[in-house]
Amino acid sequence: MSGVSLEGIVKAYGAVQVVHGVDLEVQEKEFVVLVGPSGCGKSTTLRMIAGLEEISGGELTIDGRVMNRVAPKDRDVAMVFQNYALYPHLNVAENIAFGLRIRKEPKDKIESQIKEVAGILGLTEYLERRPADLSGGQRQRVAMGRAIVRNPKVFLFDEPLSNLDAKLRTQMRAEIKRLHKRLGVTSIYVTHDQVEAMTLADRIVVMNDGRIEQIGSPMDLFLNPANTFVAAFLGAPPMNLVEATMTSDTVAEFNGQSISLPKLDALKNSTGRAVTLGIRPEFVEVADPSVKSQVKIDVDLIETLGSEALVHATLGEKPFVIRTETIGKLEVLDNVSGFTIDPKLVRVFDAETGVALPGQVHEQ
């Protein structure tokens, strides 16, 4: 087990650079998730760690050893792919053991390893079946078993759950989390699904356009996004972003309405300054129509999801979403006219750069 270090990692295809100087330290036994939209460079970065893509610049080390010119088979990493990559003519046991047989491991050791891994992943009764006779979730377990049996220094996961249905994804997320807790192997996981990132990661790395936007724990990124990109990407639904103008050090105005803001040194003498307000759907309180000090919204749709509801509205001709409980609030939800929010929970970003203003730290 070991850590992984990326220093100034660059990937270029000819004159086109797609990963721009990525710096990242993954500690031993840590589970780190790279997340971002399609084309942000997360899978390319993972493939450079695996040795499947050549590194154009910078330095990659695993367990303190520079890996830039080391062949994939000699890096002691195991990769789980999106498409499972199982051999259709081999049964489950043979698929799991394939790498061990290539390395000419003793037969008794191979059989012992197959038995142990099959027990961990709940595959014992399927060892004689071929991939065509398995469900998607079972095939993904076999792919994970093939990686585990190698006892690698680092696990690499490239969107392994994207081919599964919603229920199976939820089940497999829990299995992967339990597996990491049991094995304690350094793991780097790539996904475009921010829910996967939030539920699996010790730390999340948010990438955009080949660069790292922010690194931190799931709750730190949720509560304290460094910029509007991270704010709008993490969360389901994501943070609402409202363009506003400061009318005093602690009040902002938009569409003829005003809202109180936290007292920040960065907002002193800022009257007339353009800002972007970040409002999490979960932090908003649906206001009773009789409440005067509320921000008015135009409600388009209310999605009742059992114990909670999503209020879809418009604010200044832009979408605005509120997540609220339904218990004891059904009468209020029948006639939603606006919302209130604690000023301390409003995130303030610079309108020009999109960077969060200093002095805002929400505790977990």
Side-chain angles (χ1 to χ4, degrees):
M1 294 177 289
S2 58
V4 179
S5 175
L6 289 75
E7 295 184 17
I9 293 296
V10 172
K11 178 60 184 178
Y13 297 101
V16 180
Q17 190 168 309
V18 295
V19 176
H20 312 279
V22 166
D23 295 310
L24 176 63
E25 294 287 337
V26 180
Q27 303 301 318
E28 184 175 321
K29 299 185 180 182
E30 190 175 24
F31 198 117
V32 168
V33 176
L34 307 184
V35 68
S38 298
C40 71
K42 56 189 185 297
S43 289
T44 301
T45 300
L46 191 78
R47 290 173 65 83
M48 285 191 283
I49 297 171
L52 303 178
E53 291 277 1
E54 184 178 344
I55 297 171
S56 303
E59 185 174 273
L60 167 70
T61 61
I62 299 175
D63 196 20
R65 179 187 175 196
V66 177
M67 292 289 175
N68 290 47
R69 304 299 177 191
V70 176
K73 66 182 179 65
D74 298 323
R75 296 192 181 196
D76 203 3
V77 301
M79 195 162 181
V80 180
F81 296 92
Q82 175 182 346
N83 63 358
Y84 318 139
L86 301 179
Y87 296 103
H89 63 289
L90 302 181
N91 64 26
V92 169
E94 292 165 337
N95 266 285
I96 291 175
F98 186 81
L100 298 179
R101 297 191 193 284
I102 292 296
R103 287 155 59 178
K104 297 184 174 10
E105 297 285 355
K107 184 177 179 180
D108 58 342
K109 180 180 179 181
I110 292 175
E111 291 177 352
S112 173
Q113 290 283 80
I114 292 172
K115 184 177 180 180
E116 180 182 358
V117 169
I120 291 173
L121 295 172
L123 292 171
T124 302
E125 61 183 288
Y126 305 107
L127 290 176
E128 299 303 319
R129 294 190 187 183
R130 292 189 177 184
D133 301 320
L134 303 175
S135 69
Q138 290 164 345
R139 292 178 196 176
Q140 192 55 275
R141 287 194 195 99
V142 177
M144 290 169 60
R146 188 175 52 194
I148 293 168
V149 79
R150 293 180 53 195
N151 193 27
K153 290 180 179 177
V154 180
F155 280 135
L156 304 176
F157 297 88
D158 189 10
E159 303 200 39
L161 309 184
S162 59
N163 287 340
L164 305 181
D165 62 39
K167 184 177 180 180
L168 270 177
R169 281 202 301 272
T170 301
Q171 292 175 350
M172 288 300 297
R173 281 203 304 265
E175 289 190 23
I176 289 172
K177 192 70 173 178
R178 281 194 292 267
L179 193 61
H180 178 258
K181 187 175 181 180
R182 179 171 179 173
L183 300 177
V185 179
T186 307
S187 301
I188 304 174
Y189 187 107
V190 161
T191 181
H192 65 276
D193 185 335
Q194 51 90 23
V195 175
E196 278 183 28
M198 292 288 291
T199 54
L200 287 172
D202 295 323
R203 285 191 302 153
I204 294 174
V205 179
V206 181
M207 295 188 67
N208 182 34
D209 194 26
R211 295 179 174 84
I212 292 177
E213 295 283 349
Q214 189 175 1
I215 303 173
S217 70
M219 285 308 296
D220 185 37
L221 268 60
F222 180 79
L223 295 171
N224 302 295
N227 53 45
T228 51
F229 178 84
V230 177
F233 190 81
L234 285 181
M239 182 178 277
N240 299 294
L241 298 176
V242 180
E243 303 300 324
T245 302
M246 299 299 300
T247 56
S248 73
D249 291 356
T250 57
V251 177
E253 185 179 77
F254 49 90
N255 303 108
Q257 302 191 77
S258 62
I259 190 170
S260 296
L261 304 181
K263 190 174 182 180
L264 301 173
D265 289 341
L267 287 176
K268 285 183 177 179
N269 304 315
S270 60
T271 300
R273 178 180 181 179
V275 294
T276 300
L277 309 180
I279 301 175
R280 284 280 178 207
E282 297 83 359
F283 296 166
V284 172
E285 288 289 336
V286 172
D288 187 276
S290 62
V291 177
K292 293 183 179 180
S293 57
Q294 63 177 280
V295 177
K296 296 289 186 179
I297 55 175
D298 295 317
V299 177
D300 301 319
L301 169 69
I302 296 179
E303 285 186 283
T304 304
L305 307 173
S307 62
E308 63 181 18
L310 296 180
V311 179
H312 296 269
T314 54
L315 180 61
E317 299 182 354
K318 291 188 177 180
F320 191 94
V321 180
I322 299 171
R323 182 191 290 273
T324 184
E325 295 179 353
T326 56
I327 307 303
K329 292 187 177 182
L330 287 176
E331 291 184 4
V332 176
L333 289 175
D334 285 339
N335 192 24
V336 178
S337 60
F339 69 87
T340 60
I341 185 170
D342 184 338
K344 294 179 182 178
L345 297 178
V346 179
R347 192 82 172 164
V348 186
F349 303 92
D350 182 85
E352 185 176 346
T353 65
V355 175
L357 300 187
Q360 307 174 82
V361 179
H362 296 152
E363 298 295 335
Q364 298 182 26

